[in-house]
Amino acid sequence: MAAGLRTVILLSFVLALGFLLIILSCALWSNWLPLIVALTFVLAPLPNALFAHCGSDEFSSNYEGSGPVDLGRFITSMIVVTGFALPIVLAHSDVIDPKACAMSIAGGGLVYGTILAYSAAFKQEDSDYD
Amino acid sequence: MSLPRSNYDPRRVCLNPFPEFTLGKHRRTIGVYLAGALFALANWTFLDAAILSAHAHSPWGQPDTPPPVHVTFVDWIPGICSLLGYLVINMIDKDRIRGEEGFGDSRAVWRARLFLFIGFALMAGGLAGSVTVLVLKYVLNEYPEQFTYYGYANVSQSVALMLSAIVLWIAQNTSNEYEYNLTL
């Protein structure tokens, strides 16, 4: 349990760092458009989580999901690419500073990585008890 | 009469050669993720051009002249056609097109093939339209490279949408590891 506690604390620090980077990228240039990136990355795992239980019940031990699971994966990957592409597009058309673009991409990557790592660690712990 | 047994109906002229890939366990997942990423990338490529055009600067070296060309509705049409084709292709039940017996009547199969054709025609039309826009609107008028980029972004949007459709099609038609182990 100590390892799990340490993981949670580490992940929360990384999450805070990611949000710090995103908010700094907004506040330093007083242009609050990069905040959308944070929203995007927070929303990214949502379709997967919603559609994960649609595919199969517990009796058909079919890993390969059907239509709804695929749709959830499709939307998730779309949102993730949107999160990376949005700051690049904004920086390309001089709406935000290139440095703000880099900072918000790094922050968004940290936030999404935290979410992924947290769910992976959680899943592993869950299967240990099975 | 020692003809080899064919596993298809020899009366059918037009066969859909569904590629039967037997890939790893996670290939379907990876394919779907890849298709989604390509889809988003395609649309962001074009939106980049549109946003860039909305914030357009004057050509390099001549700060007084206004930008000569903007992204207008004409540029959006090929992308919309490709998107419609993408939706149509992916909304068809793939088993219908295969035309297996006992899967509804033959008219349903015929209709599914017609809709598939319409979908592919829309996607190909989108690609052709984007090339048309690139040539007629940007290349022939000899705008500087800064503005020709809008046309190239349009073409790459259509190409990436087609790639995404292909990846998704292949990913959804892979037979999974479980079946493979059963037949082994």
Side-chain angles (χ1 to χ4, degrees), chain B residues 20-91:
Chain B
E20 292 286 343
F21 288 98
T22 311
L23 298 171
K25 190 181 174 189
H26 293 285
R27 291 303 165 90
R28 183 187 172 111
T29 313
I30 293 170
V32 171
Y33 277 129
L34 190 65
L38 272 173
F39 182 81
L41 203 66
N43 291 316
W44 276 109
T45 312
F46 178 68
L47 282 180
D48 179 39
I51 295 172
L52 194 63
S53 156
H55 294 267
H57 300 296
S58 39
W60 289 316
Q62 306 148 331
D64 298 327
T65 50
V69 66
H70 280 289
V71 170
T72 50
F73 184 66
V74 177
D75 301 72
W76 287 77
I77 293 173
I80 293 172
C81 277
S82 288
L83 268 179
L84 279 179
Y86 194 90
L87 280 180
V88 168
I89 287 175
N90 283 304
M91 277 182 174

Side-chain angles (χ1 to χ4, degrees), chain B residues 8 48 53 74 92 96 102 105 118 138-139 141 147 162 165 170-171 174-175:
Chain B
Y8 58 89
D48 179 39
S53 156
V74 177
I92 297 173
R96 283 285 163 80
D105 53 338
I118 291 175
Y138 296 101
V139 172
N141 288 341
F147 301 106
M162 278 193 132
I170 290 176
T174 51
S175 49

